[in-house]
Amino acid sequence: MKLDRPEIADTLALKRRGWTLALLTLTYFFSFMDRQILAILLEAIKADLKLSDTQLGLLSGLVFAIFYATLGIPIARLADRTSRKRIIAISLAVWSAMTALSGFAQNFTQLMLARIGVGVGEAGAGPPSHSIIADLYPPEKRASAMAIYSLGVLLGGGLGMMIGGFVAHAYNWRVAMMVVGLPGVVLAIIVWLFMAEPRRGLSDAQRAMDAPAAMPSLGDGIAAMWRDPVALYLVAAVTITSLVGYALTGWGPSYMQRSLGFSMLEVSKYVALPAALIGSTSALLGGAAADRAAKRYGLHAQSWVVAVFKVVAFPFAVGFYFVDDPRFALASYFIAALFAGAYLGPTFALIQHLAPIRLRAVWAALTLLVINLIGLGLGPFLVGKLSDHLQPSYGTQSLRWAMLCVALLTPLAIFAYWRAGVVMRRRDATATL
């Protein structure tokens, strides 16, 4: 029996889904490397451009986040209608070029404009990527696929700090920006030429058949998410998690230099790569544990898996700020990292599962909008502002107490993950009656 063209396209997309996931993960890697390289360079930029902690917090978070988050919505609408891989490729080329241009900044305003450009470019990568992964992988495999994709966050952030630190030590922070930014332009060409574009709803055959023929409006997408309490709890949980995560990873290298006595090169050598590898292990374990729990207890258990991982990580994450010995401080830091990255795959997999088929990119964009405006936008800025406020009283230790204050928000995220699982289990039980 001869296959028609749609069946051939579906077969090809599924055959190449591993390659597509690898390209999406590599794109995410470059996204976070370009975004987080600033963390290892903050002290060098502060000295060169004579900036305050508040200004550094703005550059690390709010300035980037406003454009990154708000532009994600219109780009996601476009992604739900047109070629997602082309949007990803164009976005990758834009943010990579703007990262390289950051190295030419001569003052706060110029660096701010370059970071805005990075945010504009990166706005086009996340929602289309989530949508493609959801179309390529069925619900029972989606958390693991999302966990693999999330390795881009952990490896990109860690290797960005490592590469940036080495290059800045050998040359300066400007060259580091260029070295990290330019390779992404080459990857953008590869994505354009070789990434698969799956049919929407490919891995959710029945839901795709039941989906309305007409394209839902943005208002429909917002209303649908607002009416879903599980989605709201998940968004709240991942937003608080992101606020804490962006704040602490964005300022982590500076804290290690100011309070633990590390040099920039030592952070790059001894912290960046181990943290990236440990965090990646956490993400993979979280995704695998969530998929296993879903098969045994139902999809709601994925949210509880994340809550358990976060409970285990919390005392070590907080303990990091109470230990002055660098060896014990890093041990606490690495143990926390072993559990802290587990939320990524299950959270975004659940949100894609809950989203209507034709609104997957929009739901991803809405989630990222809240995560990044509040988490990325306020997290690093809040730490910088608190540090400047506490500096008269605590001197060089002001950053330590500012970061601790933000870390103590984690129990709110744990509660929200637990509650999402409770509501989802009740709803699923009611639906089967």
Side-chain angles (χ1 to χ4, degrees):
M1 180 177 174
K2 194 172 182 179
L3 294 174
D4 60 20
R5 289 186 181 275
E7 289 174 315
I8 293 173
D10 288 351
T11 301
L12 182 61
L14 291 174
K15 184 178 180 180
R16 294 171 57 186
R17 71 181 181 182
W19 169 247
T20 298
L21 180 59
L23 282 178
L24 290 173
T25 303
L26 192 56
T27 300
Y28 207 17
F29 170 88
F30 273 86
S31 169
F32 255 77
M33 185 166 63
D34 291 7
R35 189 184 313 180
Q36 293 298 108
I37 187 176
L38 210 60
I40 193 66
L41 303 178
L42 284 181
E43 296 301 297
I45 293 171
K46 179 175 183 175
D48 185 14
L49 301 183
K50 306 297 187 292
L51 305 182
S52 69
D53 280 354
T54 299
Q55 287 176 310
L56 293 176
L58 283 170
L59 290 172
S60 301
L62 192 59
V63 164
F64 173 92
I66 288 174
F67 290 87
Y68 173 64
T70 54
L71 286 176
I73 298 294
I75 293 175
R77 289 296 289 166
L78 188 63
D80 277 328
R81 298 170 182 266
T82 60
S83 172
R84 292 166 288 186
K85 74 168 186 177
R86 292 181 180 178
I87 291 173
I88 293 169
I90 293 170
S91 300
L92 172 57
V94 170
W95 87 62
S96 299
M98 294 306 297
T99 298
L101 285 174
S102 299
F104 293 94
Q106 298 299 312
N107 53 50
F108 173 76
T109 301
Q110 291 177 6
L111 187 53
M112 178 184 69
L113 291 173
R115 294 300 293 174
I116 288 172
V118 176
V120 169
E122 291 196 16
S129 298
H130 288 207
S131 177
I132 287 175
I133 293 171
D135 285 340
L136 289 175
Y137 290 88
E140 64 274 11
K141 296 182 178 180
R142 202 168 286 154
S144 293
M146 285 289 188
I148 293 171
Y149 171 69
S150 72
L151 295 181
V153 174
L154 301 157
L155 292 175
L159 290 180
M161 287 199 297
M162 185 181 75
I163 295 169
F166 276 114
V167 176
H169 177 78
Y171 299 97
N172 55 58
W173 69 269
R174 300 177 186 280
V175 176
M177 287 286 195
M178 298 174 201
V179 168
V180 167
L182 291 176
V185 178
V186 178
L187 178 61
I189 298 171
I190 296 173
V191 168
W192 182 284
L193 294 177
F194 298 109
M195 183 180 287
E197 176 76 35
R199 176 172 55 84
R200 299 177 199 281
L202 176 59
S203 293
D204 292 276
Q206 185 58 51
R207 290 184 65 198
M209 290 175 60
D210 295 338
M215 182 69 190
S217 68
L218 175 60
D220 293 333
I222 296 172
M225 179 173 271
W226 184 255
R227 289 193 301 266
D228 191 327
V230 179
L232 294 182
Y233 276 120
L234 287 172
V235 171
V238 75
T239 298
I240 297 168
T241 298
S242 297
L243 187 150
V244 174
Y246 279 123
L248 303 188
T249 57
W251 283 101
S254 290
Y255 169 70
M256 293 176 194
Q257 292 172 69
R258 295 186 196 180
S259 296
L260 298 180
F262 287 90
S263 68
M264 179 177 67
L265 186 60
E266 287 172 333
V267 175
S268 300
K269 278 184 176 180
Y270 307 124
V271 181
L273 184 58
L277 294 176
I278 292 170
S280 299
T281 301
S282 174
L284 293 175
L285 286 174
D291 277 340
R292 180 171 294 183
K295 289 178 183 178
R296 184 168 183 178
Y297 303 108
L299 280 174
H300 68 275
Q302 292 187 334
S303 191
W304 290 346
V305 167
V306 176
V308 170
F309 272 73
K310 291 185 74 61
V311 167
V312 176
F314 180 63
F316 296 100
V318 170
F320 175 57
Y321 301 103
F322 286 100
V323 180
D324 290 321
D325 186 301
R327 296 167 299 175
F328 292 111
L330 283 186
S332 186
Y333 179 80
F334 289 144
I335 293 172
L338 184 59
F339 298 95
Y343 77 96
L344 288 160
T347 302
F348 291 112
L350 282 172
I351 289 171
Q352 287 296 295
H353 171 74
L354 296 168
I357 292 290
R358 303 199 66 180
L359 286 170
R360 277 179 163 163
V362 165
W363 273 43
L366 289 170
T367 304
L368 292 172
L369 171 69
V370 179
I371 286 175
N372 290 296
L373 280 181
I374 298 176
L376 177 57
L378 293 183
F381 173 72
L382 182 60
V383 169
K385 195 70 176 175
L386 279 172
S387 179
D388 281 341
H389 178 73
L390 295 172
Q391 199 277 332
S393 301
Y394 294 94
T396 58
Q397 297 302 312
S398 64
L399 184 59
R400 178 199 299 263
W401 299 109
M403 294 176 75
L404 176 62
C405 289
V406 174
L408 291 174
L409 296 173
T410 299
L412 296 176
I414 294 171
F415 170 79
Y417 274 116
W418 169 77
R419 189 63 186 162
V422 170
V423 175
M424 190 172 181
R425 183 181 66 168
R426 290 175 180 171
R427 187 167 67 185
D428 291 346
T430 302
T432 58
L433 294 178

